[in-house]
Amino acid sequence: MTITVHHLENSRSQRVLWMLEELDLPYRVTRYERDRKTMLAPPELRRVHPLGKSPVIEDDEEQGASGARVVAETGAIVEYLVDKADGRLGAPPRRDEALAYRFWLHYAEGSLMPPLLLKLVLGRIPLMGRAATKRVQPMIDRHLDFVEQSLAAKPWFAGDAFSAADVMMSFPLEAARSRAGLDASRPNTIGWLERIHARPAYQRALEKGGPYAYA
């Protein structure tokens, strides 16, 4: 019995591999490559989930309506894995830290990723798109300043201990480091990136997942 991760190269699903390594849960990887022209996920993923996106996991230990339990969406998968691991890397016991944990867990995709994705899409449109990105960057900068300030007094997003909130925040901040202005002018955030990249589980996940442009 094991978890199958339907893993798309250079995607959010790298976080799922990392989470599984941190929790030491058994899993196998089914890899998919992006279409070289559109950079979209291949149609084969629709056989696993109707949206045809990654990440998606199948858990043989739990049975859904038509076989192994299928879970999609990174945040939902991360919370599912926390539950499966009896709460490890989940919300801290202290109220303030637990609230911070939940905030960052949802902020990663709900608030930080949309302007980063918007900048990526606009940057591929000649002339007008590049001009529009100039309006998006101040929005991203506001988010990056907020993150930098939040990491000024604590090493991890939920407090003194590493948690699933840090796993969720990795992809948008790695993307921001790659293409949206995150640099040494925000040392707290860069230091956090260096800490997560040094974790053995993170390194193992890179080996399992293959090429990942943001590492």
Side-chain angles (χ1 to χ4, degrees):
M1 294 293 186
T2 189
I3 293 171
T4 299
V5 182
H6 295 273
H7 172 62
L8 180 66
E9 63 177 345
N10 293 329
S11 78
R12 294 164 167 86
S13 61
Q14 185 63 39
R15 287 179 294 188
V16 175
L17 303 183
W18 178 23
M19 188 74 180
L20 286 160
E21 289 290 340
E22 291 283 357
L23 295 172
D24 197 27
L25 293 174
Y27 71 97
R28 59 175 172 257
V29 180
T30 300
R31 292 186 179 84
Y32 301 83
E33 293 185 357
R34 294 180 181 274
D35 183 285
R36 293 305 173 217
K37 291 183 179 179
T38 66
M39 296 306 293
L40 297 176
E44 289 82 2
L45 273 168
R46 294 197 191 101
R47 299 171 189 165
V48 186
H49 190 278
L51 292 178
K53 295 184 178 181
S54 178
V56 179
I57 66 169
E58 291 181 277
D59 186 354
D60 293 340
E61 280 191 334
E62 292 202 21
Q63 295 296 304
S66 58
R69 175 77 64 189
V70 175
V71 186
E73 288 292 336
T74 312
I77 293 171
V78 164
E79 291 193 279
Y80 178 87
L81 296 177
V82 166
D83 288 343
K84 195 170 183 67
D86 298 323
R88 280 186 291 147
L89 300 188
R94 292 183 56 211
R95 177 67 170 165
D96 288 347
E97 292 181 347
L99 289 173
Y101 167 87
R102 293 190 180 94
F103 171 80
W104 294 109
L105 196 75
H106 295 281
Y107 169 87
E109 291 291 326
S111 293
L112 184 52
M113 268 310 298
L116 291 169
L117 183 59
L118 182 59
K119 181 174 182 178
L120 174 64
V121 172
L122 289 173
R124 293 177 177 174
I125 303 173
L127 299 178
M128 291 182 63
R130 285 196 292 271
T133 59
K134 294 180 180 179
R135 298 192 175 189
V136 176
Q137 188 60 49
M139 298 167 54
I140 295 172
D141 289 339
R142 191 174 304 118
H143 282 288
L144 294 180
D145 287 343
F146 172 61
V147 169
E148 176 70 10
Q149 182 180 9
S150 299
L151 288 170
K154 56 188 180 183
W156 305 108
F157 278 102
D160 292 331
F162 173 82
S163 73
D166 297 287
V167 175
M168 284 299 296
M169 285 296 293
S170 63
F171 185 83
L173 290 177
E174 287 171 330
R177 183 78 170 96
S178 174
R179 62 176 184 243
L182 175 56
D183 57 23
S185 66
R186 295 181 173 93
N188 297 323
T189 310
I190 296 298
W192 175 86
L193 281 172
E194 291 173 348
R195 287 193 294 279
I196 66 168
H197 290 166
R199 294 181 71 85
Y202 185 96
Q203 294 296 324
R204 292 196 302 271
L206 285 182
E207 293 175 4
K208 299 283 185 65
Y212 178 58
Y214 300 133

